[in-house]
């Protein structure tokens, strides 16, 4: 009996030691370290490496060629060896307040920072993140304010003949208030999914903080999956742990727009919503901006607020769909019904800037009112978080 007790004690001790290894094994290298003056130090332990680099959006951008023309890519900086296999890089100047992302390159092999547990997936890539607080970036923090609830919800689509997944944000107090709320339908870009706005866009934090400050009306935010060839985000559908890709069929061919009333119908029958045009908004980034543009004019009695964030505008010339037919006539009908807000935001270096400029010229020529918001930079989440925080301040008021 004593031998059994001793064996059990040793076994338990072994598990404890193993657990302690898991707890303490990763705590030796501090990275990233945000210094008091908002410079940032990245450290990597790589004793066998010949070269270690960091690439991220806090570094000076590089111009690269893409299928859509020139665009900004994340900059690259070299870490220097400081002894005992440790490599280090410190930004030469303080960083402006922002949520930044980065990855590590070890002898050309891209990986995440092993000392930073905070990582986000964007399509098929995973990056670490860190937050420099202050100014607008404080909207991206989890502050000590009342918090809304984020749920992943499945809904039936009669048009597509399948169940599909969406993410829904309900504001603080929704569960017990008994009141009805306006709804913002918030759409992701190409390669994204129903998780993008809450993970990359910090939508829940932005809404929580603006609502708590009285700068935004309490609202429900519905974030559907805009990829009609996929029921849900990678890993959350019957397809299993497939590799994410932006190259999906039926992304901008009218199918998403055709099935969208299924989304609105489900939300209006399963949530306490104000079921009127003046209590509905639709907005989206890039491909989602394209969908918001065409959904809002296809169903001109559904939405009184429209937000186009770095939006694609025209369908590909090879696409034929009734959704895109008589575009000028549908736009005329939409504006004859006097939407309360038609909001366009884009970065001055965005590869879609010219297309948006031409679209604004078209609206100007037809005398259709809109609000325009221009930032610096390009086709990035840094801009889309700004556009969301500006747009939600203006709607439902």
């Amino acid at each position: 009996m004593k031998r059994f007790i001793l064996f059990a004690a040793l076994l338990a001790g072994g598990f404890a030691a193993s657990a302690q290894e898991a707890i303490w094994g990763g705590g030796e290298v501090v990275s990233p370290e945000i210094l008091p003056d908002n410079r940032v130090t990245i450290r990597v332990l790589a004793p066998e490496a010949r070269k270690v680099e960091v690439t991220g959006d806090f570094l000076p951008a590089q111009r690269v060629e893409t299928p859509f023309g020139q665009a900004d890519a994340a900059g690259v900086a070299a870490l220097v060896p400081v002894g005992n296999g440790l490599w280090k890089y410190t930004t030469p100047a303080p960083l402006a307040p922002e949520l930044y992302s980065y990855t590590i390159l070890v002898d050309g092999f891209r990986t995440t920072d092993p000392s930073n547990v905070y990582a986000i997936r964007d399509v098929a890539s995973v990056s670490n993140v860190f937050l420099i607080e202050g100014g607008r970036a404080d909207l991206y923090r989890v502050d000590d304010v009342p918090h809304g609830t984020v749920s992943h919800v499945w809904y039936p689509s009669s048009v597509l003949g399948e169940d599909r997944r969406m993410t829904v944000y309900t504001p603080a107090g929704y569960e017990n208030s008994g009141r009805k709320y306006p709804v913002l339908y918030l759409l992701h870009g190409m390669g994204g999914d129903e998780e993008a706005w809450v993970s990359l866009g910090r939508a829940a934090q932005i809404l929580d903080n603006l609502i708590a400050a009285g700068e935004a009306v309490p609202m429900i935010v519905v974030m559907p999956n805009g990829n009609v060839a996929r029921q849900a985000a990678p890993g959350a559908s019957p397809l299993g742990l497939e590799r994410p890709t932006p190259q999906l069929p039926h992304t901008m061919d009218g199918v998403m727009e055709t099935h969208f009333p299924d989304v609105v119908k489900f939300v209006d029958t399963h949530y306490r919503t104000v079921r009127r045009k003046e209590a509905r908004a639709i907005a989206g980034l890039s491909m989602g901006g394209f969908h918001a543009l065409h959904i809002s004019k296809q169903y001109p009695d559904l939405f009184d607020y429209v937000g186009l964030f770095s939006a694609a505008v025209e369908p590909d010339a090879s696409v034929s769909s009734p959704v895109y037919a008589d575009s000028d006539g549908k736009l005329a009908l939409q504006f004859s019904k006097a939407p309360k807000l038609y909001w366009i935001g884009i970065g001055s270096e965005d590869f879609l800037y010219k297309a948006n400029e031409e679209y604004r010229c078209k609206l100007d020529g037809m005398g259709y009112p809109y609000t325009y918001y221009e930032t610096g930079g390009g086709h990035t989440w840094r801009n889309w978080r700004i556009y969301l925080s500006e747009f939600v301040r203006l709607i439902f008021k």
Side-chain angles (χ1 to χ4, degrees):
M1 183 66 177
K2 288 181 179 178
R3 287 183 181 177
F4 174 77
I5 293 172
L6 178 61
F7 173 75
L10 289 171
L11 191 62
F15 279 127
S18 174
Q20 291 302 310
E21 267 189 273
I23 293 172
W24 302 115
E28 297 161 355
V29 176
V30 177
S31 179
E33 181 183 9
I34 300 173
L35 304 176
D37 64 353
N38 281 354
R39 289 181 302 138
V40 173
T41 294
I42 305 292
R43 297 181 178 91
V44 176
L45 184 63
E48 304 298 323
R50 295 185 299 265
K51 181 170 71 171
V52 181
E53 299 168 295
V54 58
T55 176
D57 58 5
F58 63 94
L59 298 166
Q62 307 176 96
R63 296 296 285 178
V64 298
E65 287 293 336
T66 76
F68 307 101
Q70 285 200 334
D72 284 344
V76 179
L79 280 68
V80 296
V82 294
N84 297 319
L86 191 66
W87 299 70
K88 174 182 172 182
Y89 171 79
T90 299
T91 58
L95 297 182
E98 185 54 76
L99 180 71
Y100 294 100
S101 64
Y102 70 100
T103 54
I104 302 297
L105 299 169
V106 180
D107 293 333
F109 175 75
R110 185 184 295 270
T111 185
T112 52
D113 183 343
S115 299
N116 185 355
V117 300
Y118 299 105
I120 297 176
R121 177 183 64 82
D122 188 2
V123 193
S125 62
V126 177
S127 301
N128 295 108
V129 294
F130 63 86
L131 179 68
I132 301 293
E133 297 183 352
R136 186 188 295 274
D138 285 350
L139 290 177
Y140 314 150
R141 301 187 313 189
V142 178
D143 271 347
D144 188 14
V145 299
H147 300 297
T149 299
V150 175
S151 305
H152 298 304
V153 180
W154 289 82
Y155 69 96
S157 170
S158 59
V159 171
L160 298 176
E162 63 183 10
D163 287 347
R164 298 181 57 79
R165 188 172 181 252
M166 65 172 99
T167 299
V168 180
Y169 166 91
T170 50
Y174 173 86
E175 291 81 0
N176 301 314
S177 71
R179 63 178 284 192
K180 294 182 178 181
Y181 293 85
V183 183
L184 164 62
Y185 293 85
L186 186 60
L187 313 181
H188 62 80
M190 185 172 287
D193 50 62
E194 73 274 17
E195 297 176 355
W197 268 110
V198 290
S199 59
L200 293 150
R202 306 292 283 185
Q205 289 79 16
I206 291 170
L207 267 295
D208 281 350
N209 291 327
L210 287 177
I211 291 171
E215 295 183 48
V217 171
M219 68 185 77
I220 297 168
V221 183
V222 176
M223 295 157 273
N225 190 317
N227 301 307
V228 296
R230 295 291 183 269
Q231 291 173 263
S237 81
L239 293 174
L241 303 181
E242 62 167 350
R243 178 176 173 80
T245 175
Q247 305 302 321
L248 294 171
H250 304 301
T251 51
M252 299 164 70
D253 64 356
V255 181
M256 170 64 173
E257 292 90 335
T258 301
H259 111 282
F260 204 79
D262 285 341
V263 178
V264 177
K265 178 181 177 181
F266 179 87
V267 171
D268 277 348
T269 55
H270 288 76
Y271 291 86
R272 296 193 311 276
T273 65
V274 181
R275 303 177 188 181
R276 297 193 300 272
K277 179 185 177 186
E278 60 267 28
R280 293 195 196 98
I282 188 167
L285 69 92
S286 192
M287 179 185 79
F290 175 91
H291 287 149
L293 189 161
H294 293 285
I295 289 169
S296 66
K297 67 181 176 59
Q298 184 73 10
Y299 310 105
D301 294 317
L302 275 184
F303 304 100
D304 240 345
Y305 303 88
V306 179
L308 312 181
F309 307 164
S310 305
V313 177
E314 297 293 340
D316 188 89
S318 64
V319 172
S320 177
S321 168
V323 170
Y324 310 129
D326 189 25
S327 182
D328 287 353
K330 290 176 181 177
L331 204 58
L333 178 60
Q334 180 181 10
F335 277 93
S336 74
K337 295 175 180 289
K340 294 182 184 297
L341 177 67
Y342 200 91
W343 195 95
I344 301 172
I346 196 162
S348 58
E349 298 171 43
D350 197 302
F351 72 91
L352 290 172
Y353 186 88
K354 187 174 187 299
N356 275 249
E357 187 175 47
E358 291 171 352
Y359 184 62
R360 288 189 291 111
C361 286
K362 179 178 183 174
L363 297 178
D364 290 338
M366 295 179 170
Y368 300 152
Y370 61 90
T371 297
Y372 180 60
Y373 191 94
E374 184 172 313
T375 56
H379 209 69
T380 64
W381 278 103
R382 185 181 304 187
N383 273 336
W384 301 327
R385 287 188 289 264
I386 292 172
Y387 303 158
L388 177 63
S389 63
E390 291 296 321
F391 184 71
V392 297
R393 283 180 166 101
L394 301 174
I395 60 178
F396 309 134
K397 293 183 176 180

